[in-house]
Amino acid sequence: MVINPELSVVVCVLNEEESIDLFLDTLTPILEQAVSSYEILFVNDGSTDKTFEILHQKAIAPDSHVRLINLSRNFGKDVALTAGLDNVKGQAVIPMDVDLQDPPELITEMVEKWRQGANSVVAVRSDRREDNFIKRKTAMAFYRLIGRISKVDIPQNAGDFRLIDQKVLEVVRKMPEKARFMKGLFAFPGFKTEYVYFHRPQRVAGETKWNYWKLWNFALDGILGFSTAPLRIWSYLGAGVAVIAFLYMAFTIFKTLVLGVEVPGYASLISLILFFSAINLIGIGILGEYIGRIFEEVKSRPLYVIEGIYDSHDQQAEASDKCA
């Protein structure tokens, strides 16, 4: 194991026993050609299958390039990725998925752009043909929305698969927020950024851990974490409703003075009450989302808990103990 390798690859895994061997068989030859030295840092995010056992054996093997961080339970992918970024040793870092939907072949091009002076090299999906209609449309709507309301330029159709150097990594490490929208955190530092484009293939093994509910919460974290626009919108909406209410009040007074008092309609009254009650509840809900995030931040609990870190030194230590 090289102490300060040229490149670190961070891979977060959750119940991926079927994908690990194929992933390493595909990735390792590419890394051997692309860089002078490397490490592959797996972060086991509370797997319940044989993922830990498989990775543990690979990590403690003599002269292994694999390191393993085993979290004490499932903390979620973005937090697991943070644990990996906090413990990498490489001069540059590439987070990627174990399912080979992030093509390892792009690493050579990413490293080349980094050597030419780029601080960050972002892999962008050139199309989303593999996604179903609903996912394509919702993803498009999300990226358009966050692109307009966020002050940070977050690339569209880009995931965590990218290369970042030590400058970017140090800034990311200084951002301790609990609700971690990693695409935004990676984009926040700025610096010189280059792009590579690819067509994302189907998963090679196992099943995705994402569903529509998780994707919704992921989008919500991104919007609320990188914009105060939802709060501002309700300020504008409140002002607009107040103007309409004032005009309606003036019209009612004028109508009463000119035409006399009419019996008010029950249906219109109930409709107005329900409408404004709904607006109030939605506004309170938006406030609650922000307040909930403030509550999580002020508790200052650790983002993650590490059960252990394993590499080839563990095997060497065990051999030394036996000799002693």
Side-chain angles (χ1 to χ4, degrees), residues 91-149:
Q91 301 168 39
V93 182
I94 296 180
M96 63 186 303
D97 292 337
V98 74
D99 55 17
L100 294 178
Q101 288 188 291
D102 298 332
E105 296 79 11
L106 283 180
I107 290 177
T108 302
E109 185 179 355
M110 296 166 80
V111 169
E112 185 62 28
K113 288 182 179 291
W114 166 55
R115 287 172 176 167
Q116 292 173 359
N119 302 109
S120 178
V121 184
V122 182
V124 178
R125 297 173 64 172
S126 56
D127 61 70
R128 305 185 70 100
R129 286 178 294 176
E130 300 297 335
D131 293 337
N132 59 47
F133 177 80
I134 295 177
K135 191 172 181 180
R136 284 200 304 270
K137 293 301 181 182
T138 53
M140 186 182 301
F142 167 71
Y143 282 115
R144 284 180 178 175
L145 175 62
I146 199 167
R148 292 187 176 185
I149 67 176

Side-chain angles (χ1 to χ4, degrees), residues 120 123 152 200 240 263 285 311 315:
S120 178
V152 178
R200 197 177 198 196
V263 177
D311 56 33
Q315 184 67 25

Side-chain angles (χ1 to χ4, degrees), residues 7 9 33 50 62 70 103 119 142-143 204 211 225 250 260 269 291 299 304-305 310:
L7 181 67
V9 177
Q33 295 292 325
K50 295 182 180 179
N70 189 45
N119 302 109
F142 167 71
Y143 282 115
V204 295
N211 53 41
L269 180 61
I291 293 171
K299 287 189 292 188
Y304 54 83
V305 179
Y310 306 90

Side-chain angles (χ1 to χ4, degrees), residues 63-85:
D63 300 320
S64 173
H65 291 275
V66 173
R67 295 173 61 219
L68 171 63
I69 294 177
N70 189 45
L71 300 183
S72 61
R73 62 172 177 84
N74 178 260
F75 286 89
K77 183 183 177 182
D78 286 342
V79 173
L81 178 55
T82 301
L85 295 176

